[in-house]
Amino acid sequence: MMKAKILAAWMAVACPALAGAQATGVTLYGNFDEYIGHVRNDRGAHVTGLNDGAILRSRLGVRGSEDLGDGVQLKYVLEMGLNADAGSAADTSRLFDRQAWLGLATKAGEFRAGRQNTEIFMIGGAIDYTDRTTFGSVVNSFGIPSRYDNDLSYRSPRIGGFEATVHYALPENGGATRGNHPIWQLALDYTRAPFRFGYAGLQASPDDATATVHEKIRYHNVYANYRYGRGTLYATFVRSNNSTANASGNNAGTILSNVSIPNNYFAGTDPNATRYYHIWQLSADYRVDERLRVGALYGEIHDQSGGGAGARGASAGGYYDLSRRTSLYAFAAWLKNDAAAGFRFSSSAGPSANLAGDDINGRRLTGVQLGILHKF
């Protein structure tokens, strides 16, 4: 109820501003993304459901800017996630769970402060034909650090095709006795047609006061793609130790939250932090005509500890554009867990209908997604 009241007040302020959008630079935006998802394992367990967000989690946002003169521009974004299949908020603990930042764009680069998407999240379009979402992306099945609170960032101008970005998410530990550490991010991207390649990475240290396992959580992603005629070839490699067990499966959890936790820290008590995974993935797409694009991928997750917690998977799918704003999509995916592994399908949003526990641990999974995406 409180969140609904806050949202109503926010819209009351935002809507009059929209009437003067040309003068103030305020834009209301968002999307709906809903799909029928079916998941089955190799012993017949299955689930079918209406889910939100195969490609883009449903959302509502406001973004705006103001020209301050001398080449300086103030910018801001307020964005909240939605469960469009149920009409509920994606995160009941906060209003703008996806983004809430204020920034200054200058000739020397752009500075931002607030809750922001990670650079790992933002390079999705360079990773594979699915935009690194959907059941079909093996990288997505491993997990993607997506956004963090109290984040300060700087993005350089693009010079000679190169752009660099750094993030520093403050721990804000609330007391001098806690040994919290910031979450660091670094990214370098080179784009010059027909090539794009780069790196995006993250590092976080455990809490000094509670840690019994002192391994830092790391996520390193190297990617490259090449535009050929009517399509794109993609390759990516990830090295990370941010995977652990929870009630949903042997590899269904993360040690450092992908979407932030209180004070941006983790306790440092999970021995799985010492287990690193190497994930590689190859993908390609092809534009059949101006409306239809098809693609496929194959990828593997290798458990570097030798503990048999790896997996491999593949997918094929396509997008059909009904208009500039509306697309139909369909994907078929396959994921085979090793004996000790428990990875499962994911999307831009976690599927509300999914298999878990003994239905994914060591099992082979197949999945289908049929949906529609509309942007406004």
Side-chain angles (χ1 to χ4, degrees), residues 70-73 75 103-111 154-157:
D70 296 325
V72 178
Q73 188 180 53
K75 301 171 69 174
L104 287 175
T106 73
K107 295 177 182 178
E110 184 168 330
F111 303 83
Y154 165 75
R155 185 180 306 276
S156 76

Side-chain angles (χ1 to χ4, degrees), residues 1 13 20 28 62 92 109 139 146 163 176 199 217 235 240 251 256 307 358 367 374:
M1 180 63 72
V13 173
L28 178 68
V62 170
T92 58
V139 171
S146 298
E163 178 186 77
Y199 162 82
I217 298 301
S240 179
N251 292 96
L256 176 73
D358 289 339
H374 174 73

Side-chain angles (χ1 to χ4, degrees), residues 86-160:
S88 59
D91 184 344
T92 58
S93 68
R94 63 182 90 203
L95 183 58
F96 299 111
D97 59 296
R98 296 194 62 84
Q99 296 190 84
W101 57 261
L102 183 70
L104 287 175
T106 73
K107 295 177 182 178
E110 184 168 330
F111 303 83
R112 297 178 181 177
R115 181 169 171 81
Q116 301 177 57
N117 289 330
T118 67
E119 297 306 305
I120 297 165
F121 177 86
M122 294 300 291
I123 61 170
I127 297 304
D128 62 50
Y129 82 100
T130 75
D131 198 18
R132 189 262 305 122
T133 54
T134 80
F135 288 0
S137 174
V138 174
V139 171
N140 195 42
S141 293
F142 181 84
I144 306 293
S146 298
R147 57 194 59 88
Y148 293 101
D149 300 339
N150 311 317
D151 191 11
L152 303 174
S153 71
Y154 165 75
R155 185 180 306 276
S156 76
R158 192 172 287 275
I159 301 173

Side-chain angles (χ1 to χ4, degrees), residues 263-317:
N263 301 320
N264 284 341
Y265 87 105
F266 63 101
T269 58
D270 193 330
N272 286 298
T274 62
R275 172 178 287 182
Y276 281 83
Y277 297 83
H278 288 177
I279 306 104
W280 65 265
Q281 187 173 270
L282 299 174
S283 176
D285 63 14
Y286 180 79
R287 185 162 288 281
V288 178
D289 57 35
E290 64 179 10
R291 290 181 177 268
L292 178 62
R293 179 169 67 94
V294 297
L297 68 77
Y298 176 81
E300 295 186 358
I301 302 172
H302 293 277
D303 175 7
Q304 298 303 293
S305 75
R312 57 191 182 277
S315 76

